[in-house]
Amino acid sequence: MLILITYDVSTEDPAGRKRLNIIAKHCVKYGQRVQNSVFECILDEAQYRSVQHILVSLMDKEKDSLRFYNLGNKYKTKVDHFGIKDSYAIDEALIV
């Protein structure tokens, strides 16, 4: 299923900037960055719960915001993209 992860981390202090980097590095492990703080991730239910648990444990609930959008398995009909496409098809093989 396609999970869209978005976050807004307060970077007003060094701890916030560190949290931002850690959260971004974890998101990169599971999906593709499509905008600065937005990731598209193809995950099964167990992976989804695991990633959610990890990211929520890293955030500061008093200063940061984290959102998960579950677009399901039929996500191709739910996503419209306009403008430059600087990405790859997340569910297809990537040849490097």
Side-chain angles (χ1 to χ4, degrees):
M1 63 188 158
L2 178 65
I3 305 296
L4 191 71
I5 301 173
T6 68
Y7 55 85
D8 186 20
V9 176
S10 173
T11 57
E12 294 178 357
D13 58 21
R17 290 187 286 279
K18 183 176 181 180
R19 278 193 319 279
L20 175 65
N21 288 329
I22 292 170
I23 289 172
K25 285 179 183 178
H26 276 283
C27 288
V28 167
K29 291 179 188 178
Y30 297 99
Q32 174 184 1
R33 184 188 299 260
V34 292
Q35 292 190 0
N36 286 338
S37 297
V38 181
F39 287 80
E40 290 179 349
C41 306
I42 299 291
L43 305 170
D44 62 31
E45 189 66 32
Q47 291 169 319
Y48 173 44
R49 295 294 167 211
S50 176
V51 171
Q52 192 176 55
H53 175 75
I54 290 167
L55 296 179
V56 169
S57 71
L58 292 171
M59 71 180 285
D60 181 332
K61 292 181 180 108
E62 300 297 318
K63 298 179 180 179
D64 306 333
S65 173
L66 182 61
R67 290 177 180 249
F68 296 85
Y69 297 90
N70 185 337
L71 299 178
N73 292 319
K74 297 181 181 180
Y75 60 88
K76 290 182 182 182
T77 62
K78 298 177 184 176
V79 178
D80 294 319
H81 178 265
F82 303 94
I84 61 170
K85 185 157 185 173
D86 197 20
S87 62
Y88 59 91
I90 196 164
D91 60 345
E92 294 179 10
L94 178 65
I95 300 172
V96 181

